[in-house]
Amino acid sequence: MRAPLTPLKAFLSDSERGQTGFGNVGDNRMSHWLSVAQAAERICVSTRNDSVEYAKTLSHSVLPPREQRPTQIEGDGREPSDSLGKLAERFRLEAEDMERAGCFELALVTVSSVCRALTDAPISQRLLATVHMGRVMRQMGDLDSAKEVYTGVATTAMSVGEKPIAAHGHIGLGVVAAERGNQPDQKAHYQKALELAPLGSPVERSSHQGLMVVAVARNDLADALLHGWRAHDLSPPKSDVQYEVIGNMARVAHEGGFFGAAKAGFEFVLQHSTVARIRIVSIGGAVRTAASLGLKEEALRYVDLGFLEVHKGAPRHDAARFYLWCAEAFAKLGDVESRNSLAERAGQIADADGFHEVRHRSEALLNQPTLSTTSRPSSQIAGRRPAFFESDSVRIGINRLEALAV
């Protein structure tokens, strides 16, 4: 497991990754996050009392007051009652902002410092910070370290009766399995997380979202929509969490041949979300939908937009999938040269990080002179699965997506 960089080296590393949008006049986010990471490091080497006292001296320019809580919290929603626990959540909120902007080195420094500061804190606080650290590692492409962290969280949490936190660990393991291309493990971990999650909790939402992705991969589109809308309705309204769910449900619609609904969902996400990892999924979906509709110029516009988002710092797995989806779109459009170029880029990332499913699909594209898109016309699905189209839940789910275009 790689040790975090120093705050300054993390700042330089994230700066050198070519982040666009941080050089604008008045945009001081990265310098602000450097100050946050340095403050977190200072706290982790102090005693518990000294940490709390030092935090009181931090100006609001470093840690401005915020009412939100991190996305990974106790399954029953309980808040820390002690000052250090509240301070840890405050630093984790800043780290989440770093993640959204693709500044993963700074996020890792910050969260790992929080973990060390919580050595003598209640075990629930330590485990939640640790699972957050695993998420940062996963987005950086360090799947082995992420799996080790998630496994430790799930095992320890179960041993002390913290089932909702164990669910967080299983969700993380499910995501790692997804990025490795291991569908059986992926589904098993999400189902286990759903069993452990309190009803109506954020961790239940994440479990449904994971099961939706599994159902899409298995072409169980009715189940995908059911899980997707449950996740949507458990999400905070007009939040990045909700936009991410909508983007995934638009993928469900695309796989089912409901291209109008898919287009509405993808465009809705792109109109409302500014987060690279969320936008890149919808841009990749929009490219494939445009290709399925024969709209080559529109597909090309989305490809250009996607390249910009990749450069902003989309996680490596999302970047690899984006290149793969673009390659599949160009295969649909009959552009073999572009198909091969993008499939090779997807394969290079997949080889480096162990994204086995992406590697397999990119090789399939490169080894076939022509390859039909993974999307299928509605008539073909209707011929095989008439029950799917007769389902009230499917019609309602598709209609809700189409309504986003209004």
Side-chain angles (χ1 to χ4, degrees), residues 158 163-164 167 170 187-199 203-204 207 211:
M158 286 298 293
K163 292 183 179 180
H170 282 288
K187 184 175 183 179
H189 283 300
Y190 289 140
Q191 286 180 328
K192 184 63 176 179
L194 187 59
E195 292 173 11
L196 298 172
L199 187 64
V203 75
E204 184 203 344
S207 303
L211 288 168

Side-chain angles (χ1 to χ4, degrees), residues 254 279-292 296 298-308 310 318-346 358 361-362 365 371 373-374:
H254 177 272
R279 289 176 60 82
I280 198 68
V281 173
S282 284
I283 295 170
V287 172
R288 290 203 302 156
T289 299
S292 297
K296 185 172 183 178
E298 182 171 310
L300 290 172
R301 287 197 299 272
Y302 279 122
V303 170
D304 290 341
L305 181 61
F307 286 157
L308 291 175
V310 169
D318 291 331
R321 286 196 302 171
F322 169 72
Y323 293 139
L324 174 67
W325 290 334
C326 290
E328 290 174 345
F330 282 118
K332 181 81 171 181
L333 294 168
D335 185 339
V336 176
E337 182 178 354
S338 295
R339 177 201 71 182
N340 290 348
S341 174
L342 287 159
E344 288 172 356
R345 294 176 78 170
V358 173
R361 288 171 62 181
S362 62
L365 283 170
L371 182 67
T373 183
T374 54

Side-chain angles (χ1 to χ4, degrees), residues 67-141:
E67 297 297 326
Q68 304 99 314
R69 299 187 66 200
T71 54
Q72 292 170 317
I73 59 175
E74 297 276 10
D76 57 11
R78 84 186 91 146
E79 296 186 35
S81 58
D82 61 301
S83 299
L84 184 58
K86 292 176 182 178
L87 181 62
E89 285 204 353
R90 184 65 194 80
F91 275 108
R92 288 177 55 213
L93 268 178
E94 292 294 328
E96 290 193 346
D97 287 344
M98 300 172 196
E99 291 175 75
R100 294 185 186 100
C103 294
F104 299 119
E105 294 288 359
L106 281 167
L108 183 60
V109 171
T110 303
V111 180
S112 64
S113 293
V114 168
C115 290
R116 285 180 287 163
L118 292 173
T119 301
D120 298 323
I123 193 165
S124 60
Q125 294 178 16
R126 301 202 310 267
L127 290 173
L128 286 168
T130 303
V131 80
H132 188 166
M133 183 172 66
R135 186 179 72 193
V136 178
M137 292 172 168
R138 176 184 60 76
Q139 291 180 98
M140 297 173 76

Side-chain angles (χ1 to χ4, degrees), residues 35-72:
S35 298
V36 171
Q38 289 172 328
E41 187 180 56
R42 164 75 180 273
I43 283 174
C44 81
V45 297
S46 304
T47 65
R48 185 182 184 90
N49 289 336
D50 287 347
S51 295
V52 174
E53 290 304 312
Y54 169 67
K56 293 177 182 177
T57 70
L58 293 174
S59 68
H60 285 177
S61 63
V62 176
L63 283 182
R66 295 174 66 172
E67 297 297 326
Q68 304 99 314
R69 299 187 66 200
T71 54
Q72 292 170 317

